[in-house]
Amino acid sequence: MPLRFFNTYSRGIEQFEPHEPTARPIRMYTCGPTVYSRAHIGNFRAYIFEDLLQRHLELRGYKVHRVMNITDVEDKTIRGASEAGVPLQKFTEQFKEAFFEDARTLRIKRADEYPAATEQRYIDRMIDMISALISKGLAYQADDKSVYFRINKFPEYGKLAHFDLTQLQSTGRVKHDEYDKEHIGDFALWKAWDEADGDVKWDSPWGPGRPGWHIECSAMSTALLGDQIDIHCGGVDNIFPHHEAEIAQSEGVTGKKFVNYWLHCAHLLVDGQKMAKSLGNFYTVPDVLAKGYTGRELRYALLRVHYRVPLNFTWEGMNEARESLARIDEWLARLRQLVGTAQRADPTSHFEDALDDDLNISAALGFLFESIRETNRTMDQNEMDAAAASAWLDWWNRINTILDLEASVDVAIPDEVAQLAEQREEARREKNWKRSDELREQISALGWEVRDTKDGPKLTRATVSA
Ligand SMILES: [Zn+2]
């Protein structure tokens, strides 16, 4: 089955063809974090979607060259540094580190490059691009000394977001608020320095100042991936104005189609509401870990819903993630017991086929759990031979290069828990049910659950109540 993706640009499902059908890697650009605070789980939902996309492309035999930028200078980072009374670099450094730590916790594959907007080579490139836009009449310096993109000179503006910007006329009131721009939709390419910027400034042909957020991505993406990109991703709230502006700037400079496939990830809701600090439903990765969940569980919870569908995050959903992973763990353990010297057989490729269809992870996981149910039944009836078990494990290893959900040391059974389980088994052999129940409770107090199966007791992480 050919790979198909929903392209925001056309608002339709399109068959995926890399820009040049050669062995060269797919050029993938993903808008990264703005490092003014710790990224929240909604941000990570988008990063996990991009991770899934990259891993699936790789499973399908493509090489991927992925760039994720770090926005370390814009309004919020400057305000944050000034409020904290520390230099910008020092202020953003802590959130960069936190971002990489959280990405590791969630097993997100590293991008090939993480350019930061404040690196001089990119600032230079931004200035070059802005100069080129001015010389083509696509940008102008206003009375406030800032440089703006002239959207009226770029007829394609609004095409990605499906906005008709001719409807947006400058009015007297707008002129009053935005006195320096020709059109309300004109966006800043270069922001002239003012006192609130403190010592955050770079020299430019237009005087001291700093780049606008949008030009940062145009400069870093074209610097590292060339004028034309195969896949550009982000969250839906990046579509307008950020990605619309990236197209205008990049195509304005190069005259070439900037991006072939635009893929956007839907919002994350918490308990059905938009996440907001004021609502007390704003969570970072450490907030979720502090509730007793693992990175693997959070990865699963953020991964399991199709990326174009809003994902409703709940603690119940986290418990379901835990239960789903326990089902996978037990299934793997059973298969591994059966495997001996075995020959290859091939279960199916339904999982990968579902992902070929615009990354349909819900269907893919549905197929995984259906397979788990069926193979468990076969094992219950002692009808699974070593060859079949081995084939299923091979299949799992293959799809796990995408999912990356296998248990690791973070769910190793602690000695204390193992000993209590051992004592409980002894109590059960002696038919001392009271003692056995007491021990079960002690195990549960340590965050573990013991279940008696026909293969003996099985320990899993207990479900945490919110
Ligand atoms: Zn961006």
Side-chain angles (χ1 to χ4, degrees):
M1 194 203 258
L3 271 164
R4 304 170 340 136
F5 297 124
F6 181 87
N7 191 343
T8 307
Y9 200 77
S10 65
R11 292 287 196 278
I13 296 278
E14 294 177 15
Q15 191 165 323
F16 177 69
E17 307 273 2
H19 186 65
E20 292 158 13
T22 61
R24 77 145 178 81
I26 289 170
R27 297 164 181 157
M28 184 169 164
Y29 188 82
T30 48
C31 286
T34 299
V35 282
Y36 71 103
S37 70
R38 196 158 193 139
H40 56 67
I41 54 173
N43 303 129
F44 279 104
R45 184 205 181 182
Y47 305 147
I48 284 181
F49 142 65
E50 291 153 0
D51 182 53
L52 193 68
L53 174 60
Q54 173 173 7
R55 288 168 183 262
H56 184 57
L57 287 165
E58 288 171 347
L59 181 82
R60 283 306 193 202
Y62 293 103
K63 283 192 169 63
V64 178
H65 181 184
R66 183 161 69 89
V67 173
M68 177 178 264
N69 70 296
I70 306 283
T71 301
D72 59 356
V73 57
E74 48 70 79
D75 297 347
K76 291 191 288 279
T77 53
I78 293 174
R79 202 181 315 132
S82 136
E83 278 167 14
V86 293
L88 182 68
Q89 212 77 29
K90 189 163 183 246
F91 178 73
T92 56
E93 195 53 44
Q94 58 187 315
F95 300 117
K96 275 187 213 177
E97 277 168 23
F99 164 74
F100 287 115
E101 185 188 324
D102 292 346
R104 269 196 306 277
T105 301
L106 295 176
R107 306 179 177 189
I108 294 173
K109 207 171 165 169
R110 280 185 67 87
D112 297 281
E113 279 148 308
Y114 289 99
T118 54
E119 288 171 46
Q120 192 59 46
R121 58 179 288 216
Y122 300 122
I123 296 277
D124 291 345
R125 190 176 176 87
M126 292 170 213
I127 291 173
D128 287 349
M129 289 182 86
I130 298 168
S131 303
L133 291 170
I134 293 178
S135 67
K136 292 180 177 199
L138 285 164
Y140 60 93
Q141 186 169 27
D143 293 342
D144 66 351
K145 299 276 179 255
S146 291
V147 180
Y148 295 95
F149 190 92
R150 183 177 275 135
I151 60 164
N152 279 335
K153 281 279 157 68
F154 192 79
E156 309 275 276
Y157 195 77
K159 243 186 152 174
L160 177 71
H162 292 218
F163 272 9
D164 181 1
L165 282 134
T166 57
Q167 305 294 317
L168 252 184
Q169 293 301 330
S170 291
T171 64
R173 206 184 65 77
V174 167
K175 266 207 139 46
H176 179 72
D177 290 343
E178 312 255 352
Y179 61 93
D180 27 36
K181 296 197 281 184
E182 291 176 4
H183 187 288
I184 182 182
D186 289 354
F187 55 87
L189 298 166
W190 188 261
K191 295 187 173 189
W193 180 87
D194 71 25
E195 267 172 41
D197 293 339
D199 55 6
V200 179
K201 58 173 190 277
W202 288 268
D203 287 329
S204 82
W206 318 285
R210 60 188 166 95
W213 172 37
H214 313 314
I215 194 74
E216 295 177 10
C217 276
S218 281
M220 291 185 276
S221 60
T222 54
L224 294 166
L225 296 172
D227 293 345
Q228 297 184 286
I229 291 170
D230 295 302
I231 303 177
H232 194 314
C233 305
V236 282
D237 41 0
N238 288 148
I239 297 174
F240 192 86
H242 185 53
H243 289 163
E244 195 73 63
E246 277 188 46
I247 295 173
Q249 298 161 154
S250 306
E251 296 189 1
V253 171
T254 68
K256 294 180 202 153
K257 188 175 186 191
F258 176 45
V259 170
N260 277 334
Y261 301 89
W262 285 98
L263 271 63
H264 290 100
C265 180
H267 282 295
L268 177 119
L269 302 167
V270 173
D271 293 325
Q273 284 181 298
K274 206 174 155 164
M275 189 164 39
K277 278 186 176 145
S278 57
L279 291 173
N281 66 356
F282 185 98
Y283 300 117
T284 62
V285 172
D287 290 339
V288 176
L289 301 186
K291 291 253 187 189
Y293 295 99
T294 62
R296 180 169 86 115
E297 289 162 344
L298 182 54
R299 175 177 176 83
Y300 183 87
L302 295 178
L303 169 115
R304 66 184 182 148
V305 172
H306 187 263
Y307 75 96
R308 283 195 289 119
V309 176
L311 165 62
N312 189 25
F313 177 90
T314 61
W315 296 112
E316 232 174 270
M318 283 302 299
N319 289 339
E320 281 164 26
R322 174 164 293 177
E323 284 159 17
S324 300
L325 291 173
R327 225 176 307 155
I328 294 174
D329 294 346
E330 282 171 31
W331 176 67
L332 290 173
R334 288 186 82 178
L335 287 173
R336 282 179 184 138
Q337 278 181 354
L338 283 174
V339 172
T341 49
Q343 288 183 332
R344 280 274 303 127
D346 199 7
T348 64
S349 64
H350 292 337
F351 184 93
E352 299 98 306
D353 292 346
L355 291 178
D356 283 349
D357 182 16
D358 193 29
L359 232 51
N360 193 342
I361 187 69
S362 340
L365 289 173
F367 177 71
L368 167 64
F369 286 104
E370 195 185 300
S371 306
I372 290 177
R373 249 190 322 275
E374 275 173 20
T375 47
N376 274 335
R377 201 176 306 134
T378 315
M379 288 189 272
D380 289 344
Q381 292 159 355
N382 293 319
E383 280 169 4
M384 174 85 74
D385 63 14
S390 172
W392 278 104
L393 282 172
D394 285 349
W395 177 74
W396 165 258
N397 289 336
R398 182 174 156 79
I399 67 169
N400 194 47
T401 62
I402 300 175
L403 293 173
D404 203 348
L405 284 174
E406 202 161 320
S408 58
V409 275
D410 66 1
V411 289
I413 300 166
D415 288 348
E416 195 183 356
V417 172
Q419 278 167 19
L420 288 169
E422 188 53 47
Q423 289 168 25
R424 180 173 167 275
E425 265 313 281
E426 227 174 275
R428 280 168 57 82
R429 277 195 293 271
E430 292 161 7
K431 301 205 178 338
N432 186 347
W433 308 121
K434 187 163 168 286
R435 175 83 186 127
S436 148
D437 285 348
E438 280 166 12
L439 284 159
R440 177 198 287 276
E441 271 165 37
Q442 286 180 39
I443 292 168
S444 140
L446 292 169
W448 289 77
E449 194 173 0
V450 61
R451 271 192 285 166
D452 300 302
T453 72
K454 80 181 218 347
D455 302 325
K458 286 270 173 340
L459 283 164
T460 50
R461 289 290 298 268
T463 301
V464 177
S465 48

